[in-house]
């Protein structure tokens, strides 16, 4: 059996690994000219953590994971509001989870699959044709590839989804925020090694996150009421955040040296079906729970693992396997989407009272009696 996978991100690579384990051949088609790194840090747990154990990559992920030594919440002028220490942070995430940079998670998966699958970089999907026997895809160089299954793991702006179901505007739910993420060449002096500093003010959130090995990520998230159509990322961030102090000027200056920048709206994908015939969508192309839910990477790896399980359980009957897979994954994805829609209202609140209320649980967690209880309950058992 052969599958063509569109997208060499976390979802696509995890799918290639799982399909290799059940004896399938795979071809990955990736529009970028080379593998991308960086991205924001994610808490990787739940079905993703369980799947990583089954896929045999958990030890490799743990080797690249990092612990935040301190999470400090700041006022717009840089003064500290409060902070959480390492043990309290661990208690809030639970024992079966790790914190890892998206690019590092992708690197682990790439190392596991690149000897077993062909990865064709710098290529894009232009057409899909399928019948009861096979699916054929046309690429932008005019070549045609045939397989038993086509998997669209090509992210929020999925070309596979557009060709299969229709234009993306029919399926994207805008959560009215934008986000920019990039790696910093130098750690701002005001951020301790391994620490994360963050602030929220007037519908804007910014953070500098230590992600291990001396690397640091700058993160900017804000309500789209601050955005203006047509502005490039540097112009927009300078205009939206230029009045803030602390490490913001230093982080904005670091944008000029960044190798790559993730800059996009925060949107969910809400589709009534994830497959049609021999074509299936997986990961953000199918559901995109957004960073507000904080579960996208885990769902991508867990979804890939379950897809392989269902294909192995229904040999030769791809439609049945895909139906069973969607029935298993959709409830979890929809729960996380609902969480993301609830969280958007307090993510970067414009109202100071809402900001205070959104930080209250974390303020309580920083208090010694609450912190000791959480550590006893969730770490020491």
């Amino acid at each position: 059996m052969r599958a063509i996978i569109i997208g060499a991100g976390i979802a696509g690579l995890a799918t290639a690994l799982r399909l290799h384990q059940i004896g399938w051949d795979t071809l990955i088609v990736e529009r970028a000219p080379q593998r991308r790194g960086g991205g924001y840090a994610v808490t990787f747990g739940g079905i993703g953590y369980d799947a990583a154990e089954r896929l045999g990559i958990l030890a490799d992920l743990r080797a690249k994971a990092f612990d935040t030594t301190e999470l400090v919440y700041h006022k717009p002028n840089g003064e500290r509001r409060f902070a959480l220490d390492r043990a309290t942070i661990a208690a809030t995430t639970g024992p079966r989870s790790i914190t890892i940079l998206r690019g590092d998670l992708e690197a682990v998966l790439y190392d596991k699959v690149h000897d077993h699958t062909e990865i064709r970089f710098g290529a894009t999907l232009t057409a899909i044709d399928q019948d009861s026997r096979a699916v054929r895809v046309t690429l932008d160089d005019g070549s045609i590839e045939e397989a038993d299954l086509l998997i669209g793991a090509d992210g929020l702006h999925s070309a596979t989804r557009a060709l299969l179901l229709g234009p993306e505007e029919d399926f994207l739910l805008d959560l009215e925020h934008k986000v920019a993420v990039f790696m910093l060449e130098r750690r701002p002096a005001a951020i301790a090694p391994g620490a994360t500093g963050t602030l929220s003010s007037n519908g804007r959130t910014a953070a500098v996150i230590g992600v291990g090995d001396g690397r640091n990520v700058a993160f900017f998230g804000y309500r789209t009421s601050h955005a203006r159509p047509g502005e490039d990322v540097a112009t927009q961030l300078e205009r939206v955040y230029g009045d803030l102090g602390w490490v913001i000027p230093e982080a904005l200056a670091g944008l000029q040296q960044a190798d790559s920048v993730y800059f996009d709206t925060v949107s969910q994908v809400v589709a009534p079906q994830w497959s049609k015939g021999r074509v299936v969508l997986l990961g953000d192309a199918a559901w995109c729970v957004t960073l507000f839910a904080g579960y996208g990477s885990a769902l991508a790896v867990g979804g890939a693992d379950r897809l392989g399980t269902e294909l192995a359980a229904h040999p030769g009957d791809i439609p049945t396997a895909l139906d069973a897979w969607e029935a298993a994954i959709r409830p979890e994805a929809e729960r996380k989407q609902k969480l993301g829609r609830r969280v958007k209202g307090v993510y970067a609140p414009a109202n100071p009272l809402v900001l205070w209320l959104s930080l209250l649980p974390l303020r309580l967690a920083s208090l010694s009696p609450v912190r000791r209880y959480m550590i006893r309950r969730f770490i020491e058992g």
Side-chain angles (χ1 to χ4, degrees):
M1 302 292 283
R2 184 180 193 236
I4 299 170
I5 301 169
I6 310 299
I10 292 170
L13 293 170
T15 302
L17 175 58
R18 185 67 177 102
L19 293 190
H20 170 70
Q21 292 177 342
I22 65 170
W24 283 51
D25 294 325
T26 54
L27 164 67
I28 299 178
V29 176
E30 169 56 51
R31 64 184 175 187
Q34 59 190 11
R35 193 172 64 80
R36 292 161 293 196
Y40 47 82
V42 298
T43 299
F44 185 78
I47 65 171
Y49 191 98
D50 297 340
E53 281 189 315
R54 291 190 293 270
L55 291 170
I57 61 171
L58 186 57
D60 300 278
L61 295 180
R62 283 196 167 280
K64 289 185 175 292
F66 64 91
D67 292 326
T68 299
T69 57
E70 187 180 35
L71 175 55
V72 185
Y73 289 83
H74 293 264
K75 298 177 182 179
N77 64 0
E79 293 180 18
R80 288 166 66 110
R81 292 183 187 271
F82 63 93
L84 305 181
D85 63 15
R86 185 198 302 261
T88 307
I89 297 167
T92 64
T93 58
R96 287 182 62 81
S97 69
I98 58 174
T99 305
I100 188 169
L101 194 67
R102 281 182 60 94
D104 289 347
L105 172 52
E106 189 175 300
V108 167
L109 289 165
Y110 178 81
D111 289 343
K112 292 293 184 181
V113 304
H114 77 274
D115 288 337
H116 307 298
T117 186
E118 177 188 355
I119 304 179
R120 199 171 299 177
F121 288 102
T124 57
L125 174 69
T126 60
I128 301 171
D129 176 57
Q130 64 172 315
D131 55 35
S132 60
R133 298 182 302 104
V135 58
R136 288 162 291 279
V137 302
T138 304
L139 304 181
D140 59 340
D141 63 359
S143 62
I144 298 176
E145 295 285 345
E146 183 173 292
D148 300 282
L149 178 64
L150 172 64
I151 300 161
D154 44 348
L156 178 64
H157 304 294
S158 168
T160 313
R161 186 183 63 241
L163 290 169
L164 184 69
L165 300 179
E168 73 171 35
E169 55 265 27
D170 293 345
F171 304 101
L172 294 195
L173 175 63
D174 185 3
L175 297 192
E176 301 171 338
H177 287 72
K178 295 193 76 171
V179 64
V181 185
F182 52 93
M183 303 293 291
L184 293 173
E185 285 192 352
R186 292 185 299 275
R187 174 179 54 83
I191 304 293
T196 290
T198 183
L199 68 78
S200 289
S201 172
N202 190 30
R204 302 164 296 175
T205 290
V208 172
I209 307 160
V211 296
D213 296 333
R215 298 171 299 163
N216 295 272
V217 173
F219 178 94
F220 295 89
Y222 51 99
R223 292 173 178 259
T224 47
S225 56
H226 291 291
R228 290 178 186 168
E231 282 186 333
D232 62 65
V233 57
T235 302
Q236 191 154 130
L237 292 183
E238 183 62 41
R239 181 179 54 77
V240 174
Y241 289 88
D243 64 316
L244 296 175
W246 185 48
V247 300
I248 301 302
E250 200 171 345
L252 291 176
L255 176 62
Q256 306 305 318
Q257 288 77 46
D259 291 334
S260 63
V261 182
Y262 177 83
F263 181 52
D264 206 346
T265 59
V266 179
S267 301
Q268 292 183 342
V269 174
V270 181
Q273 62 189 102
W274 294 342
S275 67
K276 184 183 293 185
R278 292 178 173 270
V279 184
V280 63
L281 304 172
L282 195 150
D284 284 354
W287 51 71
C288 193
V289 298
T290 75
L291 59 89
F292 292 162
Y295 203 64
S297 296
L299 264 176
V301 176
D305 176 58
R306 187 58 181 259
L307 178 62
T309 298
E310 297 299 343
L311 289 170
H314 301 88
D317 191 352
I318 285 176
T320 298
L322 298 182
D323 287 345
W325 168 78
E326 182 168 339
I329 298 298
R330 183 176 280 276
E332 181 81 348
E334 290 184 344
R335 279 194 296 271
K336 295 302 180 181
Q337 285 189 326
K338 290 178 181 178
L339 172 62
R341 292 193 288 271
R342 289 200 304 270
V343 167
K344 81 160 191 172
V346 297
Y347 176 72
N351 186 310
L353 176 59
V354 176
L355 173 61
W356 186 87
L357 290 172
S358 70
L359 294 177
L360 182 58
L362 294 172
R363 283 182 178 275
L364 293 174
S366 70
L367 299 177
S368 295
V370 178
R371 181 171 62 247
R372 287 195 297 269
Y373 168 77
M374 292 177 66
I375 293 170
R376 288 197 306 271
R377 175 68 175 82
F378 297 109
I379 296 181
E380 298 172 357

